[in-house]
Amino acid sequence: MNPIPFADYLVLALFALIVGTTIGGALIAALSTRIIRGVSGLMMCCVGLGGLYYFLNSPFLALMEILIYVGAVCVTIVFGVMLSEPDEPPHQESRRHAALWGGGALLVCLAIAFGVAHLGLSGPWTEPATRVNDGSVEAIGLALLTTYSLPFELISIVLLVAILGALVIARSGRTKE
Amino acid sequence: MNLLQLHQRPAVYLVLAALLLAVGIYGLIRRRTLIGMLIAGELIFSAASLNFMTVNRFYAPDPAVGQIFVLFIMGLAAAEVAIALSVIIAVYRNYRSIHSNDLSELKG
């Protein structure tokens, strides 16, 4: 039936690889001591998320994720790393104190993970009877220019103001005195 | 449960989004530099986007809405990173440090 032999297994292996990239990248981003490794972990995580979006029937969003996050956000953070000294300082707190805080943070996060996952798995989700459109790029473009045209314009204004504000804030210390 | 159809089950994506959220919050608590906290915040944004895309793919009657929301989230994340990094650089100029323990001038 399938033109390629073992196509299902290939898809499963690819899916496992993408999920592993996402989780591994997130762990590296949150746990590494050197901040530049954290940025690389964020890049890995975003590439994995792009693959997940591809599996979720949205190749356009997959490309946008890689373009915006890997291409813009991570590169901007690398510039920030270059202009400051962001490495984690050595532990000044006592060992017991650190273990206490680490354990507390871990407890909170496990509680959040289990709670949110339980909500997601046990929620009364219902499949829709019909779909209005197929979710293609054409449908996204039509919705952006008709129903969502006001938020679309507002996002562009927000981006413009953010860039101008970033320039003003970062420039203020550079004038010659 | 058929293992080969794993990528068509919403539960996988929902649990993955919950894990991303938890890892992001852990990083936000434990990181001690502003840039590390910014990276953890991006992870939380990603978790929210993944949740939106999952519900959009499996349960929404209009599959374009979730994709547009995720596009808006990406735009806002880009704006937020630009502002946050310029603030971080301004803080570094004034304090010569971006460790969150050193920025204690407003501490009561």
Side-chain angles (χ1 to χ4, degrees), chain A residues 29 32 49 53 58 65 69 76 85-88 101 131-133 135 140 170, chain B residues 26 30-33 42 46 49 57 61-63 67 74 85 92-93 99:
Chain A
S32 62
L49 271 174
Y53 291 168
S58 179
E65 171 86 20
Y69 271 96
T76 318
E85 291 172 10
D87 275 342
E88 295 270 321
W101 272 101
R131 304 268 167 141
V132 183
N133 53 46
I140 298 174
Chain B
Y26 183 82
R30 286 302 286 168
R31 284 282 188 192
R32 277 159 305 166
T33 64
E42 292 301 316
S46 305
S49 305
R57 158 77 173 80
D62 183 357
Q67 302 187 41
M74 284 180 193
L85 276 175
Y92 182 71
R93 281 216 192 95
H99 300 150

PDB file of all heavy atoms in Angstrom, chain A residues 29 32 49 53 58 65 69 76 85-88 101 131-133 135 140 170, chain B residues 26 30-33 42 46 49 57 61-63 67 74 85 92-93 99:
ATOM      1  N   ALA A  29      18.644  24.121  27.786  1.00  0.00           N
ATOM      2  CA  ALA A  29      18.409  25.557  27.940  1.00  0.00           C
ATOM      3  C   ALA A  29      18.182  25.923  29.394  1.00  0.00           C
ATOM      4  O   ALA A  29      18.560  27.008  29.828  1.00  0.00           O
ATOM      5  CB  ALA A  29      17.205  25.977  27.098  1.00  0.00           C
ATOM      6  N   SER A  32      21.984  24.251  31.837  1.00  0.00           N
ATOM      7  CA  SER A  32      23.417  24.364  31.607  1.00  0.00           C
ATOM      8  C   SER A  32      23.991  25.553  32.364  1.00  0.00           C
ATOM      9  O   SER A  32      23.312  26.543  32.612  1.00  0.00           O
ATOM     10  CB  SER A  32      23.690  24.518  30.119  1.00  0.00           C
ATOM     11  OG  SER A  32      23.086  25.693  29.675  1.00  0.00           O
ATOM     12  N   LEU A  49      10.514  22.096  17.894  1.00  0.00           N
ATOM     13  CA  LEU A  49       9.138  22.594  17.863  1.00  0.00           C
ATOM     14  C   LEU A  49       8.671  22.814  16.428  1.00  0.00           C
ATOM     15  O   LEU A  49       7.507  22.561  16.107  1.00  0.00           O
ATOM     16  CB  LEU A  49       9.051  23.906  18.630  1.00  0.00           C
ATOM     17  CG  LEU A  49       8.766  23.789  20.112  1.00  0.00           C
ATOM     18  CD1 LEU A  49       8.863  25.156  20.728  1.00  0.00           C
ATOM     19  CD2 LEU A  49       7.406  23.229  20.327  1.00  0.00           C
ATOM     20  N   TYR A  53       5.363  21.245  14.757  1.00  0.00           N
ATOM     21  CA  TYR A  53       4.332  21.981  14.024  1.00  0.00           C
ATOM     22  C   TYR A  53       4.102  21.351  12.654  1.00  0.00           C
ATOM     23  O   TYR A  53       2.983  21.339  12.158  1.00  0.00           O
ATOM     24  CB  TYR A  53       4.731  23.448  13.848  1.00  0.00           C
ATOM     25  CG  TYR A  53       4.730  24.253  15.107  1.00  0.00           C
ATOM     26  CD1 TYR A  53       5.299  25.500  15.162  1.00  0.00           C
ATOM     27  CD2 TYR A  53       4.148  23.745  16.265  1.00  0.00           C
ATOM     28  CE1 TYR A  53       5.306  26.234  16.325  1.00  0.00           C
ATOM     29  CE2 TYR A  53       4.151  24.468  17.420  1.00  0.00           C
ATOM     30  CZ  TYR A  53       4.734  25.711  17.446  1.00  0.00           C
ATOM     31  OH  TYR A  53       4.743  26.432  18.591  1.00  0.00           O
ATOM     32  N   SER A  58       0.968  21.987   9.892  1.00  0.00           N
ATOM     33  CA  SER A  58       1.149  23.412   9.654  1.00  0.00           C
ATOM     34  C   SER A  58       2.574  23.703   9.232  1.00  0.00           C
ATOM     35  O   SER A  58       3.377  24.215  10.008  1.00  0.00           O
ATOM     36  CB  SER A  58       0.797  24.200  10.902  1.00  0.00           C
ATOM     37  OG  SER A  58       1.009  25.552  10.655  1.00  0.00           O
ATOM     38  N   GLU A  65       8.499  29.383  12.789  1.00  0.00           N
ATOM     39  CA  GLU A  65       9.161  29.120  14.077  1.00  0.00           C
ATOM     40  C   GLU A  65      10.671  29.159  13.912  1.00  0.00           C
ATOM     41  O   GLU A  65      11.381  29.802  14.683  1.00  0.00           O
ATOM     42  CB  GLU A  65       8.712  27.749  14.589  1.00  0.00           C
ATOM     43  CG  GLU A  65       9.466  27.240  15.788  1.00  0.00           C
ATOM     44  CD  GLU A  65       8.884  27.745  17.083  1.00  0.00           C
ATOM     45  OE1 GLU A  65       7.730  28.156  17.070  1.00  0.00           O
ATOM     46  OE2 GLU A  65       9.607  27.708  18.087  1.00  0.00           O
ATOM     47  N   TYR A  69      12.367  32.264  15.700  1.00  0.00           N
ATOM     48  CA  TYR A  69      13.060  31.923  16.940  1.00  0.00           C
ATOM     49  C   TYR A  69      14.545  31.687  16.712  1.00  0.00           C
ATOM     50  O   TYR A  69      15.390  32.301  17.361  1.00  0.00           O
ATOM     51  CB  TYR A  69      12.414  30.700  17.590  1.00  0.00           C
ATOM     52  CG  TYR A  69      11.308  31.084  18.517  1.00  0.00           C
ATOM     53  CD1 TYR A  69       9.993  31.088  18.090  1.00  0.00           C
ATOM     54  CD2 TYR A  69      11.579  31.476  19.811  1.00  0.00           C
ATOM     55  CE1 TYR A  69       8.977  31.476  18.927  1.00  0.00           C
ATOM     56  CE2 TYR A  69      10.581  31.858  20.652  1.00  0.00           C
ATOM     57  CZ  TYR A  69       9.277  31.846  20.215  1.00  0.00           C
ATOM     58  OH  TYR A  69       8.281  32.234  21.039  1.00  0.00           O
ATOM     59  N   THR A  76      19.564  37.416  18.568  1.00  0.00           N
ATOM     60  CA  THR A  76      19.529  38.604  19.417  1.00  0.00           C
ATOM     61  C   THR A  76      20.056  38.289  20.811  1.00  0.00           C
ATOM     62  O   THR A  76      20.800  39.081  21.401  1.00  0.00           O
ATOM     63  CB  THR A  76      18.088  39.123  19.504  1.00  0.00           C
ATOM     64  OG1 THR A  76      17.508  39.060  18.231  1.00  0.00           O
ATOM     65  CG2 THR A  76      18.070  40.531  19.995  1.00  0.00           C
ATOM     66  N   GLU A  85      28.314  39.955  30.665  1.00  0.00           N
ATOM     67  CA  GLU A  85      28.999  38.765  31.192  1.00  0.00           C
ATOM     68  C   GLU A  85      27.983  37.881  31.881  1.00  0.00           C
ATOM     69  O   GLU A  85      27.824  37.939  33.096  1.00  0.00           O
ATOM     70  CB  GLU A  85      30.057  39.180  32.203  1.00  0.00           C
ATOM     71  CG  GLU A  85      31.218  39.895  31.605  1.00  0.00           C
ATOM     72  CD  GLU A  85      32.104  40.431  32.698  1.00  0.00           C
ATOM     73  OE1 GLU A  85      31.899  40.076  33.865  1.00  0.00           O
ATOM     74  OE2 GLU A  85      32.992  41.210  32.373  1.00  0.00           O
ATOM     75  N   PRO A  86      27.309  37.049  31.120  1.00  0.00           N
ATOM     76  CA  PRO A  86      26.143  36.406  31.719  1.00  0.00           C
ATOM     77  C   PRO A  86      26.397  35.048  32.359  1.00  0.00           C
ATOM     78  O   PRO A  86      25.439  34.407  32.739  1.00  0.00           O
ATOM     79  CB  PRO A  86      25.211  36.244  30.529  1.00  0.00           C
ATOM     80  CG  PRO A  86      26.134  36.034  29.404  1.00  0.00           C
ATOM     81  CD  PRO A  86      27.412  36.718  29.721  1.00  0.00           C
ATOM     82  N   ASP A  87      27.642  34.590  32.492  1.00  0.00           N
ATOM     83  CA  ASP A  87      27.800  33.236  33.019  1.00  0.00           C
ATOM     84  C   ASP A  87      27.319  33.153  34.458  1.00  0.00           C
ATOM     85  O   ASP A  87      27.421  34.105  35.212  1.00  0.00           O
ATOM     86  CB  ASP A  87      29.270  32.812  32.940  1.00  0.00           C
ATOM     87  CG  ASP A  87      29.577  32.245  31.581  1.00  0.00           C
ATOM     88  OD1 ASP A  87      28.622  31.876  30.884  1.00  0.00           O
ATOM     89  OD2 ASP A  87      30.757  32.200  31.204  1.00  0.00           O
ATOM     90  N   GLU A  88      26.789  31.998  34.783  1.00  0.00           N
ATOM     91  CA  GLU A  88      26.253  31.811  36.125  1.00  0.00           C
ATOM     92  C   GLU A  88      27.377  31.954  37.146  1.00  0.00           C
ATOM     93  O   GLU A  88      28.443  31.359  36.979  1.00  0.00           O
ATOM     94  CB  GLU A  88      25.638  30.418  36.254  1.00  0.00           C
ATOM     95  CG  GLU A  88      24.438  30.198  35.384  1.00  0.00           C
ATOM     96  CD  GLU A  88      23.153  30.582  36.084  1.00  0.00           C
ATOM     97  OE1 GLU A  88      23.031  30.313  37.277  1.00  0.00           O
ATOM     98  OE2 GLU A  88      22.286  31.169  35.422  1.00  0.00           O
ATOM     99  N   TRP A 101      16.553  24.975  47.976  1.00  0.00           N
ATOM    100  CA  TRP A 101      15.902  25.735  46.907  1.00  0.00           C
ATOM    101  C   TRP A 101      15.702  24.877  45.667  1.00  0.00           C
ATOM    102  O   TRP A 101      14.649  24.925  45.025  1.00  0.00           O
ATOM    103  CB  TRP A 101      16.730  26.963  46.558  1.00  0.00           C
ATOM    104  CG  TRP A 101      16.381  28.121  47.409  1.00  0.00           C
ATOM    105  CD1 TRP A 101      17.065  28.583  48.478  1.00  0.00           C
ATOM    106  CD2 TRP A 101      15.224  28.942  47.285  1.00  0.00           C
ATOM    107  NE1 TRP A 101      16.407  29.653  49.033  1.00  0.00           N
ATOM    108  CE2 TRP A 101      15.278  29.891  48.323  1.00  0.00           C
ATOM    109  CE3 TRP A 101      14.146  28.964  46.411  1.00  0.00           C
ATOM    110  CZ2 TRP A 101      14.291  30.858  48.496  1.00  0.00           C
ATOM    111  CZ3 TRP A 101      13.174  29.930  46.578  1.00  0.00           C
ATOM    112  CH2 TRP A 101      13.249  30.858  47.619  1.00  0.00           C
ATOM    113  N   ARG A 131     -15.240  21.064   9.793  1.00  0.00           N
ATOM    114  CA  ARG A 131     -14.200  22.091   9.785  1.00  0.00           C
ATOM    115  C   ARG A 131     -14.624  23.183   8.822  1.00  0.00           C
ATOM    116  O   ARG A 131     -15.146  22.899   7.738  1.00  0.00           O
ATOM    117  CB  ARG A 131     -12.878  21.495   9.313  1.00  0.00           C
ATOM    118  CG  ARG A 131     -12.427  20.315  10.137  1.00  0.00           C
ATOM    119  CD  ARG A 131     -11.532  20.773  11.239  1.00  0.00           C
ATOM    120  NE  ARG A 131     -11.358  19.697  12.203  1.00  0.00           N
ATOM    121  CZ  ARG A 131     -10.205  19.454  12.796  1.00  0.00           C
ATOM    122  NH1 ARG A 131      -9.164  20.186  12.512  1.00  0.00           N
ATOM    123  NH2 ARG A 131     -10.117  18.508  13.684  1.00  0.00           N
ATOM    124  N   VAL A 132     -14.373  24.440   9.227  1.00  0.00           N
ATOM    125  CA  VAL A 132     -14.759  25.552   8.359  1.00  0.00           C
ATOM    126  C   VAL A 132     -13.849  25.605   7.136  1.00  0.00           C
ATOM    127  O   VAL A 132     -14.280  25.824   6.025  1.00  0.00           O
ATOM    128  CB  VAL A 132     -14.698  26.867   9.147  1.00  0.00           C
ATOM    129  CG1 VAL A 132     -15.158  28.015   8.284  1.00  0.00           C
ATOM    130  CG2 VAL A 132     -15.572  26.764  10.375  1.00  0.00           C
ATOM    131  N   ASN A 133     -12.519  25.417   7.361  1.00  0.00           N
ATOM    132  CA  ASN A 133     -11.579  25.423   6.237  1.00  0.00           C
ATOM    133  C   ASN A 133     -10.520  24.372   6.506  1.00  0.00           C
ATOM    134  O   ASN A 133     -10.605  23.625   7.494  1.00  0.00           O
ATOM    135  CB  ASN A 133     -10.977  26.814   6.050  1.00  0.00           C
ATOM    136  CG  ASN A 133     -10.368  27.327   7.326  1.00  0.00           C
ATOM    137  OD1 ASN A 133      -9.651  26.596   7.995  1.00  0.00           O
ATOM    138  ND2 ASN A 133     -10.670  28.557   7.683  1.00  0.00           N
ATOM    139  N   GLY A 135      -7.216  24.977   7.001  1.00  0.00           N
ATOM    140  CA  GLY A 135      -6.051  25.457   7.727  1.00  0.00           C
ATOM    141  C   GLY A 135      -4.826  25.664   6.859  1.00  0.00           C
ATOM    142  O   GLY A 135      -3.711  25.649   7.347  1.00  0.00           O
ATOM    143  N   ILE A 140      -5.148  30.993   6.240  1.00  0.00           N
ATOM    144  CA  ILE A 140      -4.524  31.887   7.222  1.00  0.00           C
ATOM    145  C   ILE A 140      -4.474  33.312   6.686  1.00  0.00           C
ATOM    146  O   ILE A 140      -4.808  34.280   7.379  1.00  0.00           O
ATOM    147  CB  ILE A 140      -3.104  31.398   7.568  1.00  0.00           C
ATOM    148  CG1 ILE A 140      -3.145  30.028   8.204  1.00  0.00           C
ATOM    149  CG2 ILE A 140      -2.427  32.360   8.521  1.00  0.00           C
ATOM    150  CD1 ILE A 140      -1.763  29.462   8.412  1.00  0.00           C
ATOM    151  N   ALA A 170      18.955  51.272  24.808  1.00  0.00           N
ATOM    152  CA  ALA A 170      20.319  50.768  24.722  1.00  0.00           C
ATOM    153  C   ALA A 170      21.302  51.853  24.304  1.00  0.00           C
ATOM    154  O   ALA A 170      22.490  51.722  24.527  1.00  0.00           O
ATOM    155  CB  ALA A 170      20.381  49.608  23.736  1.00  0.00           C
TER     156      ALA A 170
ATOM    157  N   TYR B  26      11.082  25.928  36.013  1.00  0.00           N
ATOM    158  CA  TYR B  26      12.260  25.556  36.798  1.00  0.00           C
ATOM    159  C   TYR B  26      13.440  26.471  36.459  1.00  0.00           C
ATOM    160  O   TYR B  26      14.130  26.968  37.362  1.00  0.00           O
ATOM    161  CB  TYR B  26      12.627  24.098  36.526  1.00  0.00           C
ATOM    162  CG  TYR B  26      13.788  23.611  37.351  1.00  0.00           C
ATOM    163  CD1 TYR B  26      13.605  23.191  38.650  1.00  0.00           C
ATOM    164  CD2 TYR B  26      15.080  23.606  36.844  1.00  0.00           C
ATOM    165  CE1 TYR B  26      14.660  22.778  39.423  1.00  0.00           C
ATOM    166  CE2 TYR B  26      16.151  23.193  37.598  1.00  0.00           C
ATOM    167  CZ  TYR B  26      15.926  22.778  38.887  1.00  0.00           C
ATOM    168  OH  TYR B  26      16.986  22.381  39.648  1.00  0.00           O
ATOM    169  N   ARG B  30      15.505  28.936  38.999  1.00  0.00           N
ATOM    170  CA  ARG B  30      16.864  28.596  39.391  1.00  0.00           C
ATOM    171  C   ARG B  30      17.944  29.427  38.721  1.00  0.00           C
ATOM    172  O   ARG B  30      19.063  29.486  39.213  1.00  0.00           O
ATOM    173  CB  ARG B  30      17.131  27.113  39.098  1.00  0.00           C
ATOM    174  CG  ARG B  30      16.462  26.194  40.052  1.00  0.00           C
ATOM    175  CD  ARG B  30      16.865  26.452  41.479  1.00  0.00           C
ATOM    176  NE  ARG B  30      18.205  25.992  41.773  1.00  0.00           N
ATOM    177  CZ  ARG B  30      18.864  26.298  42.878  1.00  0.00           C
ATOM    178  NH1 ARG B  30      18.307  27.076  43.777  1.00  0.00           N
ATOM    179  NH2 ARG B  30      20.066  25.848  43.081  1.00  0.00           N
ATOM    180  N   ARG B  31      17.645  30.047  37.580  1.00  0.00           N
ATOM    181  CA  ARG B  31      18.666  30.852  36.915  1.00  0.00           C
ATOM    182  C   ARG B  31      18.986  32.081  37.742  1.00  0.00           C
ATOM    183  O   ARG B  31      18.089  32.677  38.344  1.00  0.00           O
ATOM    184  CB  ARG B  31      18.168  31.287  35.538  1.00  0.00           C
ATOM    185  CG  ARG B  31      18.196  30.191  34.511  1.00  0.00           C
ATOM    186  CD  ARG B  31      19.579  30.016  34.040  1.00  0.00           C
ATOM    187  NE  ARG B  31      19.615  29.096  32.910  1.00  0.00           N
ATOM    188  CZ  ARG B  31      20.739  28.583  32.456  1.00  0.00           C
ATOM    189  NH1 ARG B  31      21.866  28.875  33.025  1.00  0.00           N
ATOM    190  NH2 ARG B  31      20.728  27.768  31.431  1.00  0.00           N
ATOM    191  N   ARG B  32      20.257  32.498  37.713  1.00  0.00           N
ATOM    192  CA  ARG B  32      20.618  33.666  38.499  1.00  0.00           C
ATOM    193  C   ARG B  32      21.136  34.808  37.651  1.00  0.00           C
ATOM    194  O   ARG B  32      21.675  35.763  38.163  1.00  0.00           O
ATOM    195  CB  ARG B  32      21.645  33.278  39.543  1.00  0.00           C
ATOM    196  CG  ARG B  32      21.009  32.684  40.782  1.00  0.00           C
ATOM    197  CD  ARG B  32      21.992  31.877  41.520  1.00  0.00           C
ATOM    198  NE  ARG B  32      22.567  30.877  40.637  1.00  0.00           N
ATOM    199  CZ  ARG B  32      23.647  30.180  40.927  1.00  0.00           C
ATOM    200  NH1 ARG B  32      24.257  30.388  42.044  1.00  0.00           N
ATOM    201  NH2 ARG B  32      24.102  29.277  40.087  1.00  0.00           N
ATOM    202  N   THR B  33      21.006  34.703  36.318  1.00  0.00           N
ATOM    203  CA  THR B  33      21.314  35.848  35.474  1.00  0.00           C
ATOM    204  C   THR B  33      20.085  36.215  34.665  1.00  0.00           C
ATOM    205  O   THR B  33      19.212  35.382  34.417  1.00  0.00           O
ATOM    206  CB  THR B  33      22.456  35.535  34.497  1.00  0.00           C
ATOM    207  OG1 THR B  33      22.006  34.519  33.623  1.00  0.00           O
ATOM    208  CG2 THR B  33      23.677  35.054  35.222  1.00  0.00           C
ATOM    209  N   GLU B  42      11.303  32.216  27.252  1.00  0.00           N
ATOM    210  CA  GLU B  42      11.017  31.777  25.879  1.00  0.00           C
ATOM    211  C   GLU B  42      10.496  30.345  25.855  1.00  0.00           C
ATOM    212  O   GLU B  42       9.634  30.003  25.043  1.00  0.00           O
ATOM    213  CB  GLU B  42      12.284  31.876  25.029  1.00  0.00           C
ATOM    214  CG  GLU B  42      12.744  33.285  24.770  1.00  0.00           C
ATOM    215  CD  GLU B  42      11.694  34.088  24.062  1.00  0.00           C
ATOM    216  OE1 GLU B  42      11.096  33.575  23.118  1.00  0.00           O
ATOM    217  OE2 GLU B  42      11.463  35.224  24.481  1.00  0.00           O
ATOM    218  N   SER B  46       7.025  28.921  24.255  1.00  0.00           N
ATOM    219  CA  SER B  46       6.942  27.789  23.332  1.00  0.00           C
ATOM    220  C   SER B  46       5.910  26.774  23.797  1.00  0.00           C
ATOM    221  O   SER B  46       5.182  26.206  22.977  1.00  0.00           O
ATOM    222  CB  SER B  46       8.300  27.112  23.220  1.00  0.00           C
ATOM    223  OG  SER B  46       9.261  28.048  22.845  1.00  0.00           O
ATOM    224  N   SER B  49       2.563  28.035  22.847  1.00  0.00           N
ATOM    225  CA  SER B  49       2.331  27.906  21.400  1.00  0.00           C
ATOM    226  C   SER B  49       2.007  26.472  21.022  1.00  0.00           C
ATOM    227  O   SER B  49       1.105  26.220  20.222  1.00  0.00           O
ATOM    228  CB  SER B  49       3.568  28.361  20.635  1.00  0.00           C
ATOM    229  OG  SER B  49       3.925  29.650  20.995  1.00  0.00           O
ATOM    230  N   ARG B  57      -5.170  21.807  15.979  1.00  0.00           N
ATOM    231  CA  ARG B  57      -5.133  20.720  15.005  1.00  0.00           C
ATOM    232  C   ARG B  57      -6.238  19.692  15.263  1.00  0.00           C
ATOM    233  O   ARG B  57      -6.841  19.165  14.332  1.00  0.00           O
ATOM    234  CB  ARG B  57      -3.760  20.048  15.073  1.00  0.00           C
ATOM    235  CG  ARG B  57      -3.669  18.630  14.560  1.00  0.00           C
ATOM    236  CD  ARG B  57      -3.652  18.562  13.055  1.00  0.00           C
ATOM    237  NE  ARG B  57      -3.405  17.210  12.615  1.00  0.00           N
ATOM    238  CZ  ARG B  57      -4.328  16.256  12.568  1.00  0.00           C
ATOM    239  NH1 ARG B  57      -5.556  16.523  12.958  1.00  0.00           N
ATOM    240  NH2 ARG B  57      -4.027  15.046  12.132  1.00  0.00           N
ATOM    241  N   PRO B  61     -12.889  23.936  15.345  1.00  0.00           N
ATOM    242  CA  PRO B  61     -13.644  23.881  14.089  1.00  0.00           C
ATOM    243  C   PRO B  61     -13.015  24.726  12.988  1.00  0.00           C
ATOM    244  O   PRO B  61     -13.226  24.443  11.817  1.00  0.00           O
ATOM    245  CB  PRO B  61     -15.027  24.413  14.479  1.00  0.00           C
ATOM    246  CG  PRO B  61     -14.908  24.955  15.825  1.00  0.00           C
ATOM    247  CD  PRO B  61     -13.627  24.551  16.433  1.00  0.00           C
ATOM    248  N   ASP B  62     -12.267  25.767  13.360  1.00  0.00           N
ATOM    249  CA  ASP B  62     -11.608  26.597  12.347  1.00  0.00           C
ATOM    250  C   ASP B  62     -10.097  26.469  12.514  1.00  0.00           C
ATOM    251  O   ASP B  62      -9.516  27.092  13.397  1.00  0.00           O
ATOM    252  CB  ASP B  62     -12.042  28.055  12.526  1.00  0.00           C
ATOM    253  CG  ASP B  62     -11.450  28.944  11.442  1.00  0.00           C
ATOM    254  OD1 ASP B  62     -10.682  28.418  10.619  1.00  0.00           O
ATOM    255  OD2 ASP B  62     -11.766  30.140  11.427  1.00  0.00           O
ATOM    256  N   PRO B  63      -9.418  25.655  11.717  1.00  0.00           N
ATOM    257  CA  PRO B  63      -7.997  25.383  11.958  1.00  0.00           C
ATOM    258  C   PRO B  63      -7.054  26.533  11.623  1.00  0.00           C
ATOM    259  O   PRO B  63      -5.854  26.369  11.762  1.00  0.00           O
ATOM    260  CB  PRO B  63      -7.702  24.188  11.040  1.00  0.00           C
ATOM    261  CG  PRO B  63      -9.004  23.731  10.549  1.00  0.00           C
ATOM    262  CD  PRO B  63      -9.931  24.862  10.612  1.00  0.00           C
ATOM    263  N   GLN B  67      -3.347  28.890  14.387  1.00  0.00           N
ATOM    264  CA  GLN B  67      -2.094  29.252  13.716  1.00  0.00           C
ATOM    265  C   GLN B  67      -1.881  30.757  13.766  1.00  0.00           C
ATOM    266  O   GLN B  67      -0.749  31.231  13.974  1.00  0.00           O
ATOM    267  CB  GLN B  67      -2.132  28.774  12.270  1.00  0.00           C
ATOM    268  CG  GLN B  67      -2.360  27.279  12.168  1.00  0.00           C
ATOM    269  CD  GLN B  67      -2.235  26.788  10.754  1.00  0.00           C
ATOM    270  OE1 GLN B  67      -1.361  27.217  10.028  1.00  0.00           O
ATOM    271  NE2 GLN B  67      -3.107  25.871  10.372  1.00  0.00           N
ATOM    272  N   MET B  74       4.462  34.618  18.484  1.00  0.00           N
ATOM    273  CA  MET B  74       5.841  34.754  18.008  1.00  0.00           C
ATOM    274  C   MET B  74       6.224  36.223  17.849  1.00  0.00           C
ATOM    275  O   MET B  74       7.329  36.635  18.234  1.00  0.00           O
ATOM    276  CB  MET B  74       6.012  34.047  16.670  1.00  0.00           C
ATOM    277  CG  MET B  74       6.082  32.550  16.760  1.00  0.00           C
ATOM    278  SD  MET B  74       6.278  31.896  15.113  1.00  0.00           S
ATOM    279  CE  MET B  74       5.939  30.189  15.411  1.00  0.00           C
ATOM    280  N   LEU B  85      16.388  42.619  26.112  1.00  0.00           N
ATOM    281  CA  LEU B  85      17.839  42.663  25.938  1.00  0.00           C
ATOM    282  C   LEU B  85      18.370  44.080  26.041  1.00  0.00           C
ATOM    283  O   LEU B  85      19.446  44.304  26.595  1.00  0.00           O
ATOM    284  CB  LEU B  85      18.224  42.047  24.603  1.00  0.00           C
ATOM    285  CG  LEU B  85      18.327  40.535  24.688  1.00  0.00           C
ATOM    286  CD1 LEU B  85      18.591  39.955  23.341  1.00  0.00           C
ATOM    287  CD2 LEU B  85      19.429  40.149  25.633  1.00  0.00           C
ATOM    288  N   TYR B  92      23.536  46.358  32.602  1.00  0.00           N
ATOM    289  CA  TYR B  92      24.943  45.960  32.664  1.00  0.00           C
ATOM    290  C   TYR B  92      25.843  47.190  32.638  1.00  0.00           C
ATOM    291  O   TYR B  92      26.884  47.221  33.300  1.00  0.00           O
ATOM    292  CB  TYR B  92      25.273  45.028  31.493  1.00  0.00           C
ATOM    293  CG  TYR B  92      26.688  44.541  31.524  1.00  0.00           C
ATOM    294  CD1 TYR B  92      27.096  43.622  32.478  1.00  0.00           C
ATOM    295  CD2 TYR B  92      27.628  45.004  30.623  1.00  0.00           C
ATOM    296  CE1 TYR B  92      28.390  43.177  32.537  1.00  0.00           C
ATOM    297  CE2 TYR B  92      28.924  44.567  30.666  1.00  0.00           C
ATOM    298  CZ  TYR B  92      29.302  43.649  31.616  1.00  0.00           C
ATOM    299  OH  TYR B  92      30.589  43.217  31.672  1.00  0.00           O
ATOM    300  N   ARG B  93      25.451  48.220  31.870  1.00  0.00           N
ATOM    301  CA  ARG B  93      26.263  49.445  31.856  1.00  0.00           C
ATOM    302  C   ARG B  93      26.294  50.116  33.217  1.00  0.00           C
ATOM    303  O   ARG B  93      27.319  50.640  33.635  1.00  0.00           O
ATOM    304  CB  ARG B  93      25.670  50.429  30.844  1.00  0.00           C
ATOM    305  CG  ARG B  93      26.053  50.089  29.457  1.00  0.00           C
ATOM    306  CD  ARG B  93      26.279  51.342  28.656  1.00  0.00           C
ATOM    307  NE  ARG B  93      26.364  50.930  27.276  1.00  0.00           N
ATOM    308  CZ  ARG B  93      25.323  50.950  26.480  1.00  0.00           C
ATOM    309  NH1 ARG B  93      24.160  51.395  26.899  1.00  0.00           N
ATOM    310  NH2 ARG B  93      25.439  50.537  25.248  1.00  0.00           N
ATOM    311  N   HIS B  99      23.716  39.723  37.282  1.00  0.00           N
ATOM    312  CA  HIS B  99      23.271  38.668  38.198  1.00  0.00           C
ATOM    313  C   HIS B  99      22.147  39.206  39.056  1.00  0.00           C
ATOM    314  O   HIS B  99      22.247  40.294  39.604  1.00  0.00           O
ATOM    315  CB  HIS B  99      24.438  38.200  39.071  1.00  0.00           C
ATOM    316  CG  HIS B  99      25.563  37.663  38.248  1.00  0.00           C
ATOM    317  ND1 HIS B  99      26.866  37.729  38.641  1.00  0.00           N
ATOM    318  CD2 HIS B  99      25.565  37.062  37.045  1.00  0.00           C
ATOM    319  CE1 HIS B  99      27.635  37.188  37.707  1.00  0.00           C
ATOM    320  NE2 HIS B  99      26.862  36.777  36.735  1.00  0.00           N
TER     321      HIS B  99
END
